[in-house]
Amino acid sequence: MRMLRPVAVALLLSSPAAFAADPAAALRAEADKRTAGLDGKLVEWRRDLHQNPELGNREVRTSAKVAAHLKALGIEVTALAKTGIKGVLKGGKPGPVVALRADMDALPVTEELDLPFKSTARADWGGREVGVMHACGHDAHVSMLMGAAEVLAGMRASLPGTVVFLFQPAEEGLPAGEEGGAELMVREGVLDNPKVDVVFGLHVFPMPTGTLGWRAGGIMASSDMLEIRVRGRQTHGAMPWAGADPIVAGAEIVLSLQSIVSREIDPTKSPAIVTIGSFQGGNRGNIVPDEVVMAGTVRTFDQDMREQIQKAIERRVQSVAAATGTTATVSWYGANPVTFNDPALTARMSPTLQRVAGALAVPDVRQTTTAEDFSYYQAKVPGLFAFLGVNPPGRTPEPNHSPRFYVDEAALPIGVRALTHLALDSLLPAK
Ligand SMILES: [Zn+2]
Ligand SMILES: [Zn+2]
């Protein structure tokens, strides 16, 4: 029932006199009325999506459902970036262009929740058969953005500007050799024509239902994956001097990389992480192998720091290789920039999120070291990404990607209010 309270409060506070003084308040009140009128649709859409999850770049059914919904609302629809959908809603009055984004893909996770609409889907993922589940809550994201589209399309004549709906595939990454996600959406011009001025996104997290959390600057980490190959020269384990040992060199590299954060980074500026999670080489105790291959990841919240750490890794890998008579290469892949909330936009929109969340607003939410490809939109235009709590009272929170990840559907209309209010308040000139 918590879900109904903010709507009721907004309606009570909105008198006709207040509307005349503040046209934005009139638009917001109308949006709230329309959101309340969505009735069970948000839940119905979300459950249908939850029961029919699709992996990245394979969101065929989801994408068709979204496209049909937008078309029925009279929104101009374009397909792009594999299974992506862009909807353009031109308001009746001139004004800026605001984009709202939802990601559509599910994860290779087998659902363990016992829900009436539990997913039993299975699919091929990189040559393996896997269970498929909306374990990151993207089903809620799609449902909320479909709801926001319905609300805003109903108010088209009074909208001072254009709203672009971005339904994006493959946020969670892809099997080797495929491209997709926000990076491909941007490359295919999703932010052009009409040229998007600002972009907003929400992500569900297991915070108390109805919480909205955001912060200026880096909110989610950049994520870069790296592979380090150290080439030595194979020899007998009893005669190491006759070769060059990539295992000893690799071990030195791992330790050296661990002192980048502690010795080269200013910890008062922003946190950073360097992890080597895989170390492969050799197959017998008495053979020095030819090669060691390591894989790892770097996380930062600051673009300069990200570049600084990448350079430090290259430098340290090369200097250890030179010192040990081996050769080494570093290759980078799977990059996501910092999910960086534009400070001016965040300051401007904070009152909006405060108003929607009320007592559950967390304007300086903690950073998370996970990453989001929403950052690709933010690298092009000012953007704001916020977290929506979906963990109901009395339930032990389960992290995103858990086979028991749970979405409290009472949060759905709150998410719609956040999206529609962000759009409306950013279309109207700042006071
Ligand atoms: Zn995820
Ligand atoms: Zn996600």
Side-chain angles (χ1 to χ4, degrees), residues 222-224 298 300-311 335-338 376:
S222 66
S223 158
D224 293 282
V298 173
T300 67
F301 294 92
D302 176 282
Q303 182 60 26
D304 292 342
M305 198 177 275
R306 182 184 181 205
E307 287 163 22
Q308 184 192 352
I309 291 176
Q310 290 186 349
K311 283 195 189 118
N336 280 306
V338 178
Y376 280 98

Side-chain angles (χ1 to χ4, degrees), residues 103 136-138 141 171-172 203-204 372 400-401:
D103 40 8
C136 204
H138 298 183
H141 300 172
E171 192 284 324
E172 300 282 5
H203 203 300
V204 296
E372 240 295 334
N400 298 62
H401 294 203

Side-chain angles (χ1 to χ4, degrees), residues 194-211:
K195 201 189 154 317
V196 168
D197 294 304
V198 291
V199 59
F200 299 109
L202 284 185
H203 203 300
V204 296
F205 273 104
M207 304 181 293
T209 297
T211 303

Side-chain angles (χ1 to χ4, degrees), residues 360-430:
L360 292 172
V362 186
D364 197 19
V365 75
R366 278 180 69 167
Q367 296 170 314
T368 159
T369 47
T370 52
E372 240 295 334
D373 73 359
F374 185 79
S375 51
Y376 280 98
Y377 306 113
Q378 290 174 312
K380 288 275 177 195
V381 300
L384 172 57
F385 196 66
F387 303 153
L388 172 65
V390 291
N391 196 65
R395 193 175 180 103
T396 307
E398 281 280 342
N400 298 62
H401 294 203
S402 157
R404 294 169 302 281
F405 181 70
Y406 184 83
V407 170
D408 181 357
E409 290 164 339
L412 299 175
I414 300 167
V416 175
R417 290 190 70 228
L419 291 168
T420 53
H421 284 221
L422 285 168
L424 294 171
D425 287 352
S426 65
L427 288 179
L428 290 156

